[in-house]
Amino acid sequence: MTAYKGTVLSEGVAIGKLHLIQERYETLPSKSVNREREILRKGLCKTILELKELIKSNQENEEYLNFQIMMLEDKTLTEEAEIFLIQGESAIESITKVFQNYQEQLKISSSFYLQQRAVDFSDIEHRIIRNISGNPYKTLQEKFILFAEDLPPSYLIQNKENLLGVITRTGGDSTHGAILCRQLNIPYIVASILAHEDDLIILDTRKQQVMVHPNQKTILHYERIIKEISEEKLYSIPHLGYHFLANVSSNTEINKVLEYGFDGIGLYRTEMIFMNANHPLSYEEQYEIYKEAVDKCKDKPICFRTFDIGDDKQLSYVKSYHKGIDNYKNNKELFITQIKALLMANQYNNMKIMFPMVSDVDEFIYLRDWVYKIKEELNNSNTLKIGIMLETKSALASIKDFKDVDFVSIGTNDLVLDIYHIHRDTQTKAMKKYLNDLVSKLSEVVDFCEENHIELSICGELAAITTALKKFMKIGFKSFSVAAPAIRILNKIYKEVNK
Ligand code: PEP
Ligand code: MG
């Protein structure tokens, strides 16, 4: 047996045979311009049909697949390929070159989010080329663990019924593939392993490990663990005095949140709705989305974070270099539209609005009063709570000024970056360096919120990490907002701390 360490992008344990997908193509010389043009046209048509077929059984991924179809139907793609066809390149070479250009532009982008969208482009590219060369992505009939260079989201969608786990050589936390794996409870590790088709593999994200050719004893051990996990009911246990909340980025995720028995939504990342749409969302479009979300939650609280664009998350039509208040001052119309749509959707008085990256109380008052003004103009008298995400060093240092907030939610991802300069991708690994210090700083926030009757929760990733969560519970945090599958962790630590 050989064990390889890797980076975990989605939690879980899996055992199964390996299936490799490799994107290497023979580049045959061009036959004639007309012939290659026809080959390309057929390849594009086949790819569009394939994606339309996929949508029928994958409504929840319609947005992603439609975006791909739209790209394929856009005549820019064929026009750009035409330039290479005329130069005598084959259909495959032409498509490769067009996508190389797209990828290069994305990779040099300073936006981490956009860099990770590069995988979405290679997904379309490979699907087209596979169709041109008569080697389309297969829907596998048996359960398997995938090993690939990166994870093409459309391949994952196509094979989600039989996909036990994923290993890729490259990949990041905010790629579509990683997000989908977390939603579907498919374990995913980034690791460079040496293995072949049909090799037996064990994937254990608790050990951040991939095992190739495990011995019999290990196999039996893991078969038992997997059976236990599969029989475990994913539902919140009774948690008197505590609030188990969920982080979501879309309305489809809310179904799972309710199914798992969460008490509400602690963080709705509204910018993700913007980022997944390919155009600025109108008032009507936003209203429909927020209303649907609020309707689903009904009597449970739902906390919408105003769009958090800037730094690692850029959008072409939003003038924003950094996350925070300038985001709204520089994009007034967008902010007003979002707030109007939110306020009008607040029909059950269960809404909270939260501002990210606030750095001092004046910023909070400025934004809160702006929301109140819009509310007054709309003649809207529904109950609304307004609060902040505590995720900057300066807000933490001046926490005592924030007596007027309705609630505080700790964003550990950005807070740890701001205080300790540790990037979010390595915060779990580097926890020893900062956790005790962070906990002691946060215990002052707990005291302040208690004294002033301010609701307090944690919505950063650390709330779903066992060691950190235990410490947070011990210093008096009672409300946590995590990704839905982390309900297991909340249950486990709640039981341990409240024995
Ligand atoms: C955070 O910073 O901890 C957080 C929850 O917000 P995001 O990860 O969306 O920046
Ligand atoms: Mg943040």
Side-chain angles (χ1 to χ4, degrees):
M1 176 175 93
T2 321
Y4 298 86
K5 278 274 173 206
T7 308
V8 175
L9 298 186
S10 172
E11 299 280 346
V13 181
I15 178 165
K17 283 193 177 167
L18 197 68
H19 175 57
L20 282 92
I21 53 169
Q22 270 168 327
E23 309 298 347
R24 287 204 194 95
Y25 317 102
E26 254 182 86
T27 45
L28 298 170
S30 164
K31 293 179 177 125
S32 74
V33 176
N34 279 343
R35 187 75 216 288
E36 294 297 329
R37 193 179 284 135
E38 185 55 14
I39 293 175
L40 178 62
R41 193 190 62 77
K42 282 193 180 148
L44 291 176
C45 286
K46 182 152 193 291
T47 311
I48 293 172
L49 287 178
E50 223 174 55
L51 292 169
K52 286 191 172 161
E53 202 50 41
L54 263 185
I55 290 183
K56 287 188 193 156
S57 49
N58 291 283
Q59 292 293 326
E60 66 282 14
N61 300 115
E62 188 179 354
E63 217 168 330
Y64 177 79
L65 298 169
N66 263 333
F67 172 71
Q68 297 216 326
I69 294 173
M70 207 185 64
M71 253 205 96
L72 293 167
E73 287 176 339
D74 188 341
K75 63 178 187 335
T76 322
L77 182 68
T78 28
E79 279 168 8
E80 286 173 352
E82 180 70 17
I83 300 171
F84 297 108
L85 288 171
I86 292 172
Q87 288 169 5
E89 301 283 13
S90 68
I92 293 184
E93 274 297 313
S94 304
I95 277 297
T96 310
K97 291 200 165 153
V98 170
F99 277 90
Q100 244 165 24
N101 285 344
Y102 293 166
Q103 302 257 12
E104 267 154 30
Q105 283 166 33
L106 283 179
K107 281 184 180 154
I108 56 169
S109 155
S110 60
S111 156
F112 186 60
Y113 178 85
L114 281 183
Q115 286 170 16
Q116 302 216 352
R117 297 284 72 75
V119 186
D120 301 349
F121 281 88
S122 70
D123 185 8
I124 319 179
E125 177 194 355
H126 296 320
R127 197 170 269 280
I128 303 171
I129 295 180
R130 278 176 170 271
N131 282 329
I132 292 177
S133 37
N135 177 27
Y137 280 135
K138 292 192 190 77
T139 308
L140 268 70
Q141 301 307 320
E142 282 178 16
K143 303 241 178 251
F144 69 101
I145 291 178
L146 174 73
F147 182 38
E149 186 58 34
D150 52 36
L151 175 58
S154 72
Y155 180 85
L156 192 167
I157 295 167
Q158 187 175 343
N159 279 286
K160 67 176 197 261
E161 301 304 334
N162 283 322
L163 198 54
L164 296 167
V166 177
I167 308 155
T168 61
R169 276 190 221 279
T170 60
D173 227 9
S174 39
T175 53
H176 262 117
I179 295 167
L180 278 171
C181 280
R182 289 196 288 271
Q183 279 168 6
L184 296 165
N185 274 337
I186 298 174
Y188 178 5
I189 291 189
V190 176
S192 276
I193 63 166
L194 277 179
H196 303 97
E197 186 76 15
D198 287 335
D199 278 352
L200 192 70
I201 301 286
I202 293 177
L203 226 147
D204 184 351
T205 63
R206 301 164 315 165
K207 293 185 172 170
Q208 296 141 23
Q209 198 163 276
V210 178
M211 288 158 260
V212 181
H213 296 306
N215 57 37
Q216 200 52 31
K217 200 170 145 213
T218 315
I219 296 173
L220 289 174
H221 171 71
Y222 273 96
E223 281 175 348
R224 207 175 47 245
I225 290 180
I226 289 166
K227 188 163 175 283
E228 277 167 20
I229 294 177
S230 68
E231 283 168 358
E232 186 190 351
K233 213 169 97 205
L234 270 189
Y235 197 81
S236 70
I237 57 167
H239 45 273
L240 200 66
Y242 283 75
H243 294 284
F244 289 179
L245 305 168
N247 294 347
V248 299
S249 306
S250 70
N251 284 2
T252 24
E253 283 174 70
I254 299 179
N255 302 339
K256 197 188 260 181
V257 167
L258 298 173
E259 190 190 308
Y260 289 1
F262 277 94
D263 303 314
I265 308 291
L267 166 64
Y268 194 130
R269 292 180 160 103
T270 62
E271 68 282 358
M272 297 312 280
I273 313 172
F274 289 58
M275 302 191 90
N276 288 329
N278 42 18
H279 59 280
L281 291 172
S282 66
Y283 164 81
E284 287 78 15
E285 286 171 308
Q286 288 191 57
Y287 170 74
E288 285 306 322
I289 297 172
Y290 303 145
K291 183 170 178 306
E292 185 189 64
V294 168
D295 280 349
K296 284 185 190 209
C297 291
K298 287 218 172 73
D299 52 338
K300 297 187 171 184
I302 175 161
C303 180
F304 290 94
R305 172 173 76 187
T306 47
F307 62 89
D308 188 26
I309 300 294
D311 301 303
D312 55 338
K313 289 182 252 175
Q314 296 287 339
L315 261 185
S316 58
Y317 57 87
V318 178
K319 292 178 233 101
S320 178
Y321 294 107
H322 299 298
K323 295 176 183 171
I325 191 159
D326 286 345
N327 209 357
Y328 311 120
K329 287 185 174 170
N330 296 337
N331 300 279
K332 288 198 173 79
E333 277 313 307
L334 209 60
F335 183 70
I336 295 170
T337 309
Q338 176 170 51
I339 298 297
K340 274 188 184 164
L342 282 169
L343 293 174
M344 294 310 286
N346 182 19
Q347 289 167 9
Y348 301 102
N349 300 306
N350 58 345
M351 186 180 286
K352 291 174 163 188
I353 291 183
M354 159 161 94
F355 308 123
M357 283 291 173
V358 168
S359 54
D360 60 39
V361 75
D362 292 341
E363 289 185 1
F364 166 71
I365 291 170
Y366 179 93
L367 292 171
R368 181 202 59 187
D369 291 352
W370 195 357
V371 172
Y372 281 160
K373 187 166 162 270
I374 301 171
K375 199 166 181 283
E376 213 176 285
E377 281 164 11
L378 291 173
N379 251 330
N380 181 300
S381 56
N382 291 351
T383 310
L384 173 74
K385 288 182 180 166
I386 305 183
I388 56 157
M389 274 191 86
L390 186 57
E391 52 180 350
T392 65
K393 196 175 164 181
S394 56
L396 179 66
S398 58
I399 187 66
K400 298 215 161 76
D401 298 338
F402 287 88
K403 289 207 169 94
D404 287 337
V405 297
D406 290 329
F407 64 90
V408 169
S409 184
I410 315 278
T412 54
N413 307 343
D414 279 304
L415 188 60
V416 169
L417 175 66
D418 203 19
I419 305 179
Y420 308 103
H421 309 289
I422 299 173
H423 191 268
R424 58 176 70 213
D425 284 353
T426 52
Q427 285 175 7
T428 320
K429 264 197 218 143
M431 227 155 43
K432 275 203 189 110
K433 288 191 198 151
Y434 67 83
L435 189 61
N436 286 340
D437 184 62
L438 178 72
V439 169
S440 106
K441 288 185 165 72
L442 292 184
S443 81
E444 289 173 29
V445 181
V446 175
D447 294 343
F448 167 77
C449 288
E450 256 171 30
E451 275 162 31
N452 293 283
H453 310 288
I454 293 169
E455 290 176 22
L456 173 66
S457 64
I458 300 200
C459 63
E461 296 302 314
L462 285 182
I465 306 295
T466 344
T467 342
L469 178 59
K470 203 184 286 178
K471 288 185 192 274
F472 296 148
M473 277 198 191
K474 286 195 170 158
I475 59 165
F477 276 96
K478 297 259 190 271
S479 181
F480 305 93
S481 195
V482 299
I487 191 72
R488 267 198 199 98
I489 297 160
L490 289 183
N491 284 343
K492 180 168 169 260
I493 303 303
Y494 171 84
K495 266 199 266 178
E496 270 182 51
V497 174
N498 294 281
K499 264 200 257 245

